[in-house]
Amino acid sequence: MTMIQCISPIDGSVYAERPALPLDAARDVVARAKKAQKSWAKRPLEERVQLVLNGVARLNEMVDEVVPELAWQMGRPVRYGGEFRGFNERSNYVATIAADALAPLVIEESASFERRIAREPHGVVFVIAPWNYPYMTAINTVAPALMAGNTVIIKHASQTILVGERMVRAFNEAGVPEDVFQNIFLDHNTTSALIAEKSFDFVNFTGSVEGGRSIERAAAGTFTPLGLELGGKDPGYVMEDADLDAAVDTLMDGATFNSGQCCCGIERIYVHESLYDSFVEKSVAWVSNYKLGNPLDKDTSLGPMAHKRFAATVRAQIADAVAKGAKALVDPKLFPADDGGAYVAPQILVDVDHSMEFMREETFGPAVGIMKVKNDAEALSLMNDSKYGLTASLWTKDAERAARIGAGIETGTVFMNRADYLDPALCWTGVKETGRGGSLSVIGFQNLTRPKSYHLKKA
């Protein structure tokens, strides 16, 4: 029997493990979801929405278990209190727009014809959720999928193996039927086999580019619709008229919070030459104030990375950049907890360029590179010099300028004077190797349903 394990970044121990379901048992889970879906979809929309919100409320009641579990599983300090703010905000927002988003589009209602486009649920939605924000990323799809009348099967990354189990428990206890929302433990081969068998009517995956490619290979020829949020290398651009202190505060937080393990975290920053020296100086001071340590300690502000292999990638990228001429500015002596394993000191690199892997490939750790630029054209060229495109953060007092530059950026979301935030009213989407599809907003509901046209000629 294959066991799926969570190795805690706190001390390298096995924190939790669960047996992976064999293929036949997994097929039974899917069969129950398919059987339950039709009756779930027939329930009034208002009832489905309320049951989902009840599930969200029930999970909030589990805060005392959820927060330390997250620290043990992926290293986020308990002082930050879990993911409830974003989890609740996203759930509540999609609840407010569900009726309008799922309402038929009426083309004609006359004595002669009734013509409309209805939205119908896909059926069984499979959510493959990541470990970095395991609750918030999952709810992006789980909440609207259930509200729209789909049944949902969730599979979490091994690093946060308990999250799907706890989410499903909360929702089931709140009244969502057990076969409507199920958690499943699978290895990669069984996951691919189920997708290849067209077990699911929609698959949403958040994870690595290679993981996304494996999902696409498994789904090839099945015509299963996919939502893929993959890698990122999100840029920030600080213009000469920016609020310097606000830019430093937000961009450094965006680069290092959660040990830099954010889908839309800031990974490279371009600063106008007039502000460059001040920005770098203030950024180094900002990052140097972190306290790296055990995430169960309430004084810890920066925990370990989720796994020592992720930390190894960060260290390797930094070492490669330094070997090629980059300078590391944060004093490692300030972070004695850096153990060469999962605990990684934050770092800022200057004298970087795009010949370095550190400025091209996703780092996904508490390290960021800063480059000096002369003008908007240079910054735009550098921002687009990436195979990824999730978000871009622009810092200026001129909204028209930001919109003009934003129109030229190959990205899914353009921020002005903020970063590293998911607005549930806007579509969360990416371009290039960041993936395809989109979640949340009205468009999220559209992606989790299919259009069905009615052309009724009256006798």
Side-chain angles (χ1 to χ4, degrees):
M1 178 180 292
T2 301
M3 297 297 293
I4 299 174
Q5 293 185 329
C6 167
I7 306 299
S8 176
I10 291 179
D11 59 7
S13 65
V14 176
Y15 177 66
E17 61 181 359
R18 296 289 187 273
L21 282 185
L23 183 57
D24 284 343
R27 287 171 175 151
D28 289 341
V29 172
V30 174
R32 293 198 299 272
K34 287 185 180 293
K35 184 177 180 180
Q37 191 271 321
K38 295 296 183 184
S39 58
W40 174 249
K42 287 179 181 177
R43 294 197 185 198
L45 172 60
E46 297 81 3
E47 182 180 332
R48 297 196 303 267
V49 168
Q50 189 57 56
L51 283 169
V52 170
L53 292 179
N54 291 348
V56 169
R58 180 69 187 99
L59 185 69
N60 275 256
E61 294 171 354
M62 300 176 177
V63 60
D64 290 340
E65 294 82 24
V66 166
V67 172
E69 277 179 357
L70 282 173
W72 277 104
Q73 290 176 94
M74 52 74 65
R76 187 182 305 126
V78 295
R79 68 182 294 164
Y80 298 121
E83 301 171 19
F84 290 101
R85 180 177 178 180
F87 186 83
N88 296 340
E89 180 185 33
R90 299 171 193 188
S91 304
N92 292 334
Y93 181 78
V94 295
T96 65
I97 67 168
D100 288 339
L102 297 170
L105 176 60
V106 178
I107 308 302
E108 181 180 359
E109 182 69 73
S110 69
S112 301
F113 287 97
E114 182 179 335
R115 295 183 295 144
R116 66 180 185 274
I117 304 169
R119 307 296 313 184
E120 292 203 343
H122 286 301
V124 179
V125 171
F126 186 35
V127 177
I128 307 174
W131 51 263
N132 63 320
Y133 281 93
Y135 285 102
M136 288 199 294
T137 52
I139 204 65
N140 292 351
T141 303
V142 168
L146 290 172
M147 291 176 186
N150 300 284
T151 51
V152 174
I153 297 172
I154 189 169
K155 171 194 173 300
H156 256 88
S158 59
Q159 196 63 47
T160 46
I161 193 172
L162 301 182
V163 172
E165 191 174 70
R166 185 165 287 282
M167 278 186 69
V168 167
R169 175 186 155 196
F171 278 55
N172 291 163
E173 289 179 359
V176 175
E178 291 185 0
D179 291 344
V180 168
F181 187 25
Q182 300 179 78
N183 178 64
I184 194 168
F185 302 106
L186 299 175
D187 60 26
H188 294 314
N189 289 337
T190 305
T191 300
S192 294
L194 289 171
I195 294 172
E197 292 175 0
K198 198 172 172 54
S199 301
F200 310 107
D201 301 294
F202 185 91
V203 176
N204 187 88
F205 172 78
T206 304
S208 68
V209 174
E210 285 308 310
R213 288 194 176 107
S214 70
I215 298 295
E216 286 200 322
R217 284 193 295 268
T222 67
F223 306 112
T224 302
L226 305 176
L228 303 173
E229 185 198 325
L230 311 175
K233 194 71 180 175
D234 289 5
Y237 172 33
V238 181
M239 300 171 221
E240 69 278 4
D241 67 336
D243 181 327
L244 182 60
D245 289 336
V248 168
D249 185 62
T250 300
L251 291 175
M252 288 303 104
D253 182 70
T256 57
F257 184 79
N258 203 42
S259 296
Q261 299 166 134
C262 302
C263 299
C264 56
I266 297 297
E267 297 222 353
R268 50 198 174 106
I269 302 173
Y270 308 102
V271 183
H272 188 270
E273 57 188 5
S274 63
L275 293 182
Y276 177 81
D277 290 340
S278 296
F279 182 89
V280 170
E281 180 182 0
K282 287 175 176 287
S283 293
V284 171
W286 195 101
V287 168
S288 296
N289 283 324
Y290 269 121
K291 180 180 179 182
L292 177 67
N294 190 316
L296 298 173
D297 183 344
K298 291 185 178 180
D299 291 331
T300 294
S301 54
L302 192 70
M305 294 190 66
H307 197 284
K308 61 183 181 182
R309 71 177 184 275
F310 307 146
T313 296
V314 177
R315 291 190 176 97
Q317 284 192 8
I318 291 173
D320 174 72
V322 170
K324 293 176 178 176
K327 292 181 181 178
L329 299 183
V330 178
D331 185 354
K333 293 179 182 178
L334 296 172
F335 302 94
D338 187 328
D339 61 355
Y343 290 83
V344 179
Q347 191 53 266
I348 292 172
L349 299 187
V350 295
D351 295 344
V352 290
D353 60 53
H354 284 214
S355 71
M356 301 170 182
E357 184 179 320
F358 182 75
M359 295 297 286
R360 297 193 320 272
E361 296 295 336
E362 187 169 38
T363 303
F364 221 60
V368 65
I370 305 176
M371 289 179 65
K372 183 188 302 183
V373 295
K374 290 182 171 60
N375 51 46
D376 293 350
E378 183 182 8
L380 180 60
S381 176
L382 288 166
M383 284 189 283
N384 283 340
D385 184 25
S386 175
K387 60 185 177 181
Y388 304 110
L390 184 58
T391 78
S393 178
L394 306 179
W395 288 81
T396 176
K397 294 181 175 66
D398 187 340
E400 290 184 6
R401 182 182 180 187
R404 184 172 63 252
I405 296 170
I409 303 175
E410 297 160 354
T411 192
T413 296
V414 176
F415 291 114
M416 173 180 156
N417 298 333
R418 75 177 315 174
D420 192 24
Y421 171 71
L422 196 157
D423 183 343
L426 301 177
C427 183
W428 192 242
T429 186
V431 298
K432 298 189 277 191
E433 289 191 13
T434 290
R436 59 189 172 97
S439 61
L440 295 176
S441 76
V442 171
I443 293 172
F445 275 108
Q446 292 174 352
N447 287 335
L448 290 164
T449 56
R450 63 179 181 87
K452 186 173 185 178
S453 294
Y454 288 83
H455 191 133
L456 308 179
K457 182 181 180 181
K458 299 179 180 178

